[in-house]
Amino acid sequence: AGDVRALIGRAVVARGSGERATMRDGGGGGSNGPSDFEMEELGWLKEPEEREVSFKSAAANVGSVAAAAAKAAGLPMPERGSAVADPAVSSTVFGKGSEDLQDLELQPLAGGQEGSAREVSTRTKKPLYSVWPSRSRFFCAGFVMTGGETEMGITPNCSVPNLCVWTCILAPCTLYFLWVFPHLWKAGSYAMPLATLAVFLMATGFLLATCCSDPGIIPRREVIIATRSSEQLEAALGFDPLVKSCIPADGKGGARNVPIDLSSRGYRWCRTCRIVRPPRASHCPDCDNCVLRYDHHCPFVNNCVGQRNYHFFFGFVTSVLCLAIMVLPVLFWFLNSDNFELAVDGLMHVSSGFLQPVFYGLIACGALIGIAVLLSAVLWFYHVFLIATKRTTKEFRRSIDNIAEEPTLCAARGPRLFDPFAMVDPWELIRQDEAPPPAPPNLCQQCWGDDDD
């Protein structure tokens, strides 16, 4: 802009000097200044062009023809920004509304027409579960969700600890239901096998529910704005997580503008989600979500443990401990029976002890499962202590007081705070002030590399 002004200024000075020289010479002689045509061309640089013009015919020089006709008729030259009433040229003006056609910056906002240089296309909306902005992932058309494993992940949603848990449950139970269950059933003992089957179904059901349920996620600012669910969240939580009365729509300066009546009661600002969260809620760095009554992120269930799935988690720990008590002693008794020892001794001598490594492996697995049972017992007593003292794992480890004085297990579960099937514009979920976080590393990338490389 500065170079254009300087060029125009030099042209005006040169033209004025040329006119004065012409007057001194009595109107004769030429001038070194620019011609009228050059001045008109330079005048067009004074205002930015705000139009997109599409030509529907070969009349590319309509503006020049109109200027020549006006000059021949003795009329003022038409400005570059003036509208040309010619059916061969259609223009689309973008700007603010105004009735003055001379001011192109204040023209009504209109979309592009067919054949224009640029047309505004409507973006396709997608279900929220397919464009969820954190590391949590949805399956089964949005009905199932799980967390994101960042430390010991085989894939972004399949972790080694979670596979170990399933192995420790399914391996001994498979041996039990294949060998011990038919033996006890034929012997007329029905209560023990049926009770074991019921506890097994409870343990696997609670594990699935803990792994694949919403732990109590509070949607982040972009999700709330994209789904237009601010009023529903305010009704469910009892306060506005966006705090629209004090914090701007982009969330800038939110930490300094949290109302005193909320901060005094333990409400805190989350700089990642850019919302105000309740006292016992916290942001999970593994799942990248704010979770109500956050307890901890458990890699063994590959999900956060919070307000909406803590009872599933405690039910899983309890049922898996009962299952171990019912399965392992009976399984060890059956493996040490006389008939089983004779069969094992015969198999070990086949093919010069070919099956010996298999049985040594089973012994090692049995030892690991025994250690896992002991750890499960310790974990169960630990959570019983937390439930009795009305604290979560985070509150106990960091010596944080339970300001709300609500119980850990028996409190209300509450509704889900977002609709995974809501149709949203994916561009509305992208933060303009930061790049999306990189995908967490996993074991597959270390072994096979990245497909994008």
Side-chain angles (χ1 to χ4, degrees):
D3 296 339
V4 172
R5 294 191 187 96
L7 179 60
I8 295 174
R10 289 195 297 270
V12 171
V13 172
R15 182 176 183 178
S17 301
E19 290 178 353
R20 288 193 296 270
T22 302
M23 293 177 63
R24 287 196 305 268
D25 295 338
S31 175
N32 295 328
S35 63
D36 293 339
F37 178 75
E38 292 175 347
M39 289 303 300
E40 293 296 336
E41 290 293 332
L42 292 174
W44 290 352
L45 298 176
K46 295 180 181 179
E47 297 294 337
E49 188 176 64
E50 299 266 342
R51 299 192 302 167
E52 295 181 358
V53 182
S54 62
F55 295 91
K56 297 183 178 179
S57 66
N61 298 323
V62 173
S64 300
V65 173
K71 186 176 181 179
L75 299 177
M77 294 292 292
E79 297 182 4
R80 177 69 180 266
S82 60
V84 180
D86 193 296
V89 181
S90 63
S91 63
T92 303
V93 182
F94 294 85
K96 301 178 181 179
S98 174
E99 297 180 356
D100 186 7
L101 296 178
Q102 302 298 327
D103 192 352
L104 294 179
E105 297 185 35
L106 301 177
Q107 295 309 306
L109 180 63
Q113 301 176 357
E114 182 180 0
S116 62
R118 184 180 63 189
E119 295 184 3
V120 180
S121 61
T122 57
R123 293 189 290 265
T124 304
K125 292 187 176 182
K126 296 182 179 181
L128 179 59
Y129 70 84
S130 64
V131 290
W132 186 255
S134 69
R135 294 193 182 100
S136 299
R137 292 295 177 266
F138 292 81
F139 303 95
C140 301
F143 289 96
V144 176
M145 72 172 299
T146 184
E149 180 58 46
T150 59
E151 296 180 356
M152 301 182 66
I154 297 178
T155 66
N157 293 105
C158 184
S159 64
V160 173
N162 187 246
L163 289 180
C164 291
V165 168
W166 282 106
T167 303
C168 291
I169 293 176
L170 296 179
C173 288
T174 300
L175 295 176
Y176 179 89
F177 289 117
L178 289 179
W179 290 341
V180 180
F181 190 93
H183 178 76
L184 295 177
W185 193 269
K186 291 179 181 179
S189 177
Y190 304 114
M192 186 66 179
L194 292 177
T196 304
L197 178 61
V199 175
F200 169 76
L201 295 177
M202 290 176 58
T204 54
F206 280 129
L207 179 56
L208 282 174
T210 308
C211 294
C212 304
S213 62
D214 170 27
I217 295 175
I218 308 174
R220 58 184 61 196
R221 176 173 291 267
E222 293 79 16
V223 176
I224 298 175
I225 295 176
T227 57
R228 280 74 176 172
S229 58
S230 177
E231 296 180 356
Q232 292 85 339
L233 280 177
E234 185 174 359
L237 297 175
F239 71 100
D240 182 14
L242 300 182
V243 195
K244 295 185 292 294
S245 59
C246 302
I247 300 175
D250 56 3
K252 293 183 179 179
R256 301 186 301 269
N257 297 322
V258 178
I260 299 178
D261 60 332
L262 293 179
S263 59
S264 61
R265 291 182 291 159
Y267 291 79
R268 294 292 180 265
W269 173 260
C270 178
R271 66 176 183 271
T272 303
C273 298
R274 298 189 298 174
I275 59 173
V276 176
R277 60 175 183 243
R280 306 187 76 182
S282 183
H283 189 88
C284 175
D286 295 282
C287 294
D288 199 23
N289 294 311
C290 279
V291 180
L292 291 171
R293 202 189 307 142
Y294 175 79
D295 191 88
H296 69 289
H297 180 88
C298 182
F300 295 100
V301 299
N302 195 29
N303 202 355
C304 285
V305 179
Q307 176 175 307
R308 301 193 74 249
N309 66 348
Y310 184 84
H311 55 292
F312 292 148
F313 176 78
F314 185 73
F316 160 68
V317 175
T318 304
S319 58
V320 79
L321 183 61
C322 296
L323 182 64
I325 295 173
M326 298 173 69
V327 169
L328 294 182
V330 178
L331 188 60
F332 288 144
W333 166 79
F334 185 77
L335 294 177
N336 292 326
S337 62
D338 295 335
N339 294 333
F340 187 79
E341 287 182 355
L342 292 175
V344 170
D345 185 68
L347 290 174
M348 291 181 64
H349 288 84
V350 176
S351 302
S352 301
F354 175 73
L355 296 178
Q356 286 185 1
V358 176
F359 288 98
Y360 291 149
L362 291 176
I363 293 173
C365 290
L368 292 177
I369 292 173
I371 295 174
V373 171
L374 294 177
L375 295 178
S376 299
V378 174
L379 182 63
W380 185 80
F381 282 108
Y382 171 69
H383 279 278
V384 169
F385 165 75
L386 292 179
I387 293 171
T389 57
K390 297 182 179 180
R391 285 187 289 182
T392 63
T393 299
K394 179 181 178 180
E395 292 171 348
F396 175 75
R397 292 177 58 186
R398 299 189 179 183
S399 301
I400 302 175
D401 296 331
N402 182 5
I403 301 177
E405 291 295 333
E406 62 177 355
T408 303
L409 178 65
C410 300
R413 184 173 180 237
R416 173 179 275 184
L417 300 180
F418 63 93
D419 181 12
F421 309 104
M423 303 300 293
V424 298
D425 183 359
W427 289 93
E428 295 183 1
L429 301 178
I430 300 176
R431 288 186 59 171
Q432 303 297 330
D433 57 344
E434 69 176 8
N442 53 69
L443 298 182
C444 289
Q445 290 181 352
Q446 297 176 3
C447 296
W448 304 102
D450 195 352
D451 294 338
D452 297 335
D453 293 342

